């Protein structure tokens, strides 16, 4: 089992998540205590609290944990109105939090054509044609989830077959990673996209030998067409967000870090929270928009709004694109595209400027970086900003940190930067990533254990809707580095696997730390929100190949049941 070495600053912060609350909230001997509202007993309860990692029972009052320990002690807090939940020997864990995802993206995906899992271009087109039959002519059709790497080759499609099958509808289909779009002729016509259209900064129009657009748009070129699509109305988006929350609850998620929301979206989240419609702990990263950043930097950071449902104290930037579309910025060219080293979506000076402003305003700055050049650019920009304005406990983050040069791995801990990573990306990409990078660069790919050994923590996530919402997929990937079919035998670069204890922390306590929330959530600890999940299997002890068969039986937020599996 690999050991975990953690820096003193992180260790102190994580230990503080339990000790002060335990002293304040744990019942004192001989002192009468008001009855608990809820007692959970007869379970195998993994608390993720380093002070007491495994208990038999816990008690809740006013939406917060007030006691953890034995069933006998917990029952002493029962009163006439106390609800007692018998876990029947089941496994209980803290409510899981997705450390990097897209709330509105999931909501919109639930309303669009689902292309995840398609195994050919023909299957993609068939799903679109089925939607077209039920859609008035001239209306946009939007889909997401195609991946040419799953079609038996890595070549991008061209628009002809899609255009022929859907002549009466403009169609825009986002790639699974959200960093490329596939469009038909009608969509290009609506957008005025021709051979004369220039590539936008940070984007590329894929063209044929005559310079004509082929129908694939990389990174910021996608906006040339996507901005023509009418957005969902506020009420439509509100309903879609409620559906997204229900989906998250059914899979054991009580919160998520929204990696890039507009001011309009943030205000909708706030309105829903005020009206009691959100029922989710949303840590928002403000999208990179000059007007929005000016507004929020003036307002200042806000935390635990609406009884702990909304945090607005972080910014989301983009350094580069994605590996699947060959837009991630690399220090050396792609092994399977030697004339291409990827794209920088933001100038290094812009990242440094926002980082300086974020430090001055008290905001965390989180930047998408996937390629080794993208990651180096971000670390360099952060370093310059921190040299200009030295700040303790800033908790800046790099989102994804997928491909790292060996020289840059220790820099995260040295700078106090958190690598926010998504384990399911590794198991999705492992089939073809070697062709993109060649063998040498793979040693810095999805290097979780290498990073942990330097003293950082790694908040886990899914990047949904890029990957499936289910957080147990990332838990399984973390401990096995294998896909759902248990391939490859022994795991892909298995020395980078996480222990189960670290895997659990990566989806509970570490996202809380990465969001300045560790005093309120992330573990079943006295004083924290009573957010927890009941599972039908013990993911901490069963064979790894059974983890993905585990079901969520119930999900609880602040001691309230928000999901129960149908029987």
């Amino acid at each position: 089992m690999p050991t975990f070495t953690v820096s003193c600053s992180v260790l102190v912060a994580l230990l503080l998540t339990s000790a002060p609350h335990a002293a304040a909230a744990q019942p004192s001997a001989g002192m009468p205590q008001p009855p608990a509202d809820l007692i959970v007993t007869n379970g195998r309860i993994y608390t993720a609290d380093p002070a007491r990692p495994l208990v038999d029972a816990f008690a809740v009052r006013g939406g917060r944990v007030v006691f953890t320990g034995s069933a006998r002690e917990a029952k002493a807090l029962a009163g006439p109105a106390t609800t007692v939940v018998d876990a029947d020997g089941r496994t209980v864990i803290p409510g899981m939090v997705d450390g990097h995802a897209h709330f509105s993206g999931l909501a919109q995906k639930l309303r669009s054509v689902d292309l995840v899992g398609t195994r050919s271009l023909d299957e993609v087109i068939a799903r679109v044609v089925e939607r077209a039959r039920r859609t008035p002519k001239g209306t946009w059709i939007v889909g997401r989830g195609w991946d040419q790497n799953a079609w038996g080759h890595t070549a991008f499609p061209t628009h002809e077959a899609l255009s022929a099958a859907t002549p009466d509808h403009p169609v825009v289909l986002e790639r699974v990673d959200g960093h490329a779009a596939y469009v038909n002729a009608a969509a290009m016509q609506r957008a005025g996209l021709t051979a004369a259209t220039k590539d936008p900064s940070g984007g590329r129009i894929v063209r044929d030998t005559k310079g004509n657009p082929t129908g694939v748009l990389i990174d910021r070129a996608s906006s040339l067409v996507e901005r023509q699509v009418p957005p969902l109305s506020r009420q439509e988006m509100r309903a879609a967000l409620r559906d997204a929350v229900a989906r998250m609850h059914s899979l054991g998620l009580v919160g998520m870090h929204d990696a890039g929301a507009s001011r309009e979206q943030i205000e909708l989240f706030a309105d829903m929270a005020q009206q009691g419609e959100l029922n989710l702990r949303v840590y928002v990263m403000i999208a990179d928009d000059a007007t929005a950043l000016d507004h929020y930097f003036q307002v200042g950071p806000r935390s635990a709004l609406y009884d702990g449902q909304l945090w607005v104290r972080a910014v989301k930037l983009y350094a580069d694109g994605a590996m699947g579309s060959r837009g991630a910025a690399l220090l050396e060219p792609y092994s399977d595209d030697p004339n291409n080293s990827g794209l920088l979506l933001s100038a290094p000076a812009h990242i440094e400027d926002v980082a300086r402003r974020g430090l001055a305003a008290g905001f965390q700055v989180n930047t998408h970086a996937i390629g080794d050049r993208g990651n180096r650019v971000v670390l360099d920009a952060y370093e310059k900003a921190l040299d200009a304005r030295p700040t303790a406990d800033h908790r800046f983050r790099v989102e994804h940190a997928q491909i790292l040069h060996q020289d840059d791995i220790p820099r995260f801990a040295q700078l106090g930067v958190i690598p926010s990573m998504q384990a399911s990306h590794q198991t999705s990409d492992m089939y073809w990533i070697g062709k993109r990078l060649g063998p040498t660069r793979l040693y810095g790919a999805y290097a979780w254990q290498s990073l942990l050994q330097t003293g950082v923590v790694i908040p886990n996530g899914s990047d949904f809707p890029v990957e499936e919402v289910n957080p147990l997929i990332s838990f399984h990937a973390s401990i096995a580095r294998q896909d759902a079919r248990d391939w490859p035998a022994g795991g892909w670069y298995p020395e980078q696997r996480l222990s189960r204890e670290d895997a659990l922390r990566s989806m509970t306590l570490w996202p809380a730390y990465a969001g300045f929330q560790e005093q309120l959530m992330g573990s079943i600890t006295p004083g924290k929100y009573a957010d927890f999940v009941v599972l039908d299997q013990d993911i901490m002890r069963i064979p790894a190949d059974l983890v993905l068969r585990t079901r969520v039986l119930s999900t609880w937020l602040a001691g309230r049941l928000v999901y129960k599996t149908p029987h």
Side-chain angles (χ1 to χ4, degrees), residues 273-294:
Q274 284 179 306
Q275 300 301 320
E277 298 178 53
L278 192 57
N279 289 318
L280 196 71
R281 307 205 188 281
V282 182
Y283 185 82
V284 172
M285 306 177 205
I286 307 156
D288 187 9
D289 172 80
T291 302
L293 293 184
D294 287 344

Side-chain angles (χ1 to χ4, degrees), residues 377-401:
V377 162
V378 176
L379 292 171
D380 288 348
Y382 285 174
E383 185 168 14
K384 290 178 181 178
L386 289 164
D387 284 344
R389 192 179 184 93
T391 304
D393 203 29
H394 53 82
R395 303 191 201 182
F396 279 10
R397 291 163 49 169
V398 173
E399 304 300 314
H400 308 306

Side-chain angles (χ1 to χ4, degrees), residues 264-531:
E264 181 181 16
Q265 290 167 339
I266 295 169
E267 290 174 351
L268 178 55
F269 302 161
D271 186 45
M272 291 178 67
Q274 284 179 306
Q275 300 301 320
E277 298 178 53
L278 192 57
N279 289 318
L280 196 71
R281 307 205 188 281
V282 182
Y283 185 82
V284 172
M285 306 177 205
I286 307 156
D288 187 9
D289 172 80
T291 302
L293 293 184
D294 287 344
H295 168 75
Y296 287 110
F297 284 173
Q298 185 174 6
V299 171
R302 294 177 294 167
S303 297
L305 302 174
Y306 315 112
D307 196 22
Q309 293 187 78
L310 188 64
W311 284 253
V312 186
R313 55 158 353 276
V315 176
K316 170 68 181 302
L317 305 178
Y318 280 88
D320 64 353
M323 290 302 302
S325 52
R326 298 185 185 86
L330 300 181
L331 294 169
E332 301 292 338
Y334 282 87
S335 296
D336 59 353
D337 190 0
N339 295 316
N340 178 20
S341 296
L343 297 167
L344 284 178
L345 303 187
S346 297
H350 174 66
I351 299 173
E352 180 186 346
D353 175 64
V354 175
R356 288 190 188 212
R357 293 174 61 206
L359 290 169
F363 278 74
Q364 182 188 56
V365 177
N366 307 332
T367 307
H368 165 117
I370 288 182
D372 51 11
R373 179 162 61 112
N375 277 277
R376 180 168 292 179
V377 162
V378 176
L379 292 171
D380 288 348
Y382 285 174
E383 185 168 14
K384 290 178 181 178
L386 289 164
D387 284 344
R389 192 179 184 93
T391 304
D393 203 29
H394 53 82
R395 303 191 201 182
F396 279 10
R397 291 163 49 169
V398 173
E399 304 300 314
H400 308 306
Q402 286 183 12
I403 314 301
L404 302 174
H405 190 282
Q406 293 294 325
D407 292 346
D408 292 320
I409 289 176
R411 296 181 67 196
F412 286 83
Q414 292 164 2
L415 294 171
V417 173
I418 298 170
S420 171
M421 305 176 76
Q422 299 73 49
S424 54
H425 283 338
Q426 176 264 308
T427 48
S428 291
D429 297 355
M430 64 183 176
Y431 310 106
W432 47 264
I433 194 70
K435 295 179 181 178
R436 294 281 196 278
L437 297 175
T440 302
R441 287 183 286 193
L442 290 181
Y443 289 102
Y446 317 93
W448 311 325
Q449 197 58 232
S450 295
L451 283 161
L452 280 183
Q453 293 299 327
T454 69
V456 299
V457 297
I458 302 177
N460 208 337
S462 69
D463 200 11
F464 68 66
V466 174
E467 302 281 358
E468 293 296 322
V469 181
N470 184 1
L472 293 182
I473 295 175
S474 282
F475 182 90
H476 175 260
S478 296
I479 66 172
R481 289 177 74 100
Q482 293 175 311
D483 63 18
R485 300 182 301 274
D486 305 316
W487 187 91
W492 190 83
Y493 290 82
E495 67 276 7
Q496 296 293 345
R497 289 178 299 195
L498 300 187
S499 70
R500 297 197 192 214
E501 292 74 21
D502 282 344
L504 180 63
R505 284 189 280 264
S506 79
M507 51 215 316
T508 56
L509 192 56
W510 292 350
Y513 177 79
F516 296 88
Q517 302 164 314
E518 72 274 16
Q519 298 292 340
L520 295 173
M521 54 191 291
S523 62
I524 300 174
T525 299
K528 295 189 181 184
Y529 294 129
D531 302 342

Side-chain angles (χ1 to χ4, degrees), residues 44-301:
R44 188 168 179 84
I45 301 166
Y46 295 93
T47 68
D49 184 338
R52 195 162 191 179
L54 185 66
V55 298
D56 298 324
F58 61 93
V60 177
R61 186 188 308 116
R64 302 209 183 207
V65 178
V66 294
F67 172 81
T68 60
S70 71
R72 177 186 290 272
E73 293 172 287
K75 287 177 180 177
L77 295 173
T82 301
T83 298
V84 178
V85 174
D86 185 337
D88 193 28
R90 302 293 194 179
T91 294
V92 180
I93 62 172
M96 292 179 282
V97 173
D98 195 306
H100 179 111
H102 302 275
F103 193 7
S104 297
L106 176 59
Q108 291 169 329
K109 182 183 176 182
L110 294 174
R111 295 290 194 272
S112 66
V113 183
D114 185 4
L115 303 174
V116 173
T118 47
R119 309 301 296 181
S120 68
L121 178 58
D122 288 343
E123 188 177 352
V124 168
I125 293 173
R127 293 192 188 185
V128 175
V129 168
E130 176 59 30
R131 176 63 64 90
R133 292 193 184 104
R134 299 180 279 113
T135 304
K137 291 183 178 181
T139 303
W140 282 86
I141 294 175
V142 177
R144 180 165 181 161
W146 61 272
D147 180 1
Q148 82 283 3
N149 295 306
W151 299 347
H153 59 80
T154 60
F156 281 129
T158 58
H159 76 86
E160 288 82 6
L162 180 62
S163 298
T166 56
D168 300 321
H169 300 81
V171 177
V172 55
L173 309 175
E174 275 195 274
R175 194 179 180 278
V176 65
D177 56 14
H179 285 269
Y182 175 42
V183 302
N184 69 350
M188 288 190 280
Q189 185 176 12
R190 290 274 186 104
L193 190 62
T194 68
T197 305
K198 295 182 178 180
D199 289 355
S201 176
R204 179 165 63 92
I205 301 169
V206 179
R207 305 172 190 268
D208 63 19
T209 55
K210 297 180 180 180
N212 296 309
T214 65
V216 171
L217 309 170
I218 307 297
D219 285 308
R220 291 196 169 138
S222 301
S223 66
L224 298 173
V225 171
E226 289 174 346
R227 65 192 179 200
Q228 304 297 323
V229 182
L232 295 177
S233 70
R234 187 176 177 86
Q235 286 307 113
E236 288 172 332
M237 178 57 78
R238 195 182 197 108
L241 289 169
R242 288 196 298 266
D243 291 344
V245 171
R247 176 69 175 153
M248 285 185 253
H249 286 165
S250 73
L251 293 165
L253 288 169
V254 299
M256 53 89 66
H257 294 198
D258 192 352
S262 67
R263 181 176 176 182
E264 181 181 16
Q265 290 167 339
I266 295 169
E267 290 174 351
L268 178 55
F269 302 161
D271 186 45
M272 291 178 67
Q274 284 179 306
Q275 300 301 320
E277 298 178 53
L278 192 57
N279 289 318
L280 196 71
R281 307 205 188 281
V282 182
Y283 185 82
V284 172
M285 306 177 205
I286 307 156
D288 187 9
D289 172 80
T291 302
L293 293 184
D294 287 344
H295 168 75
Y296 287 110
F297 284 173
Q298 185 174 6
V299 171

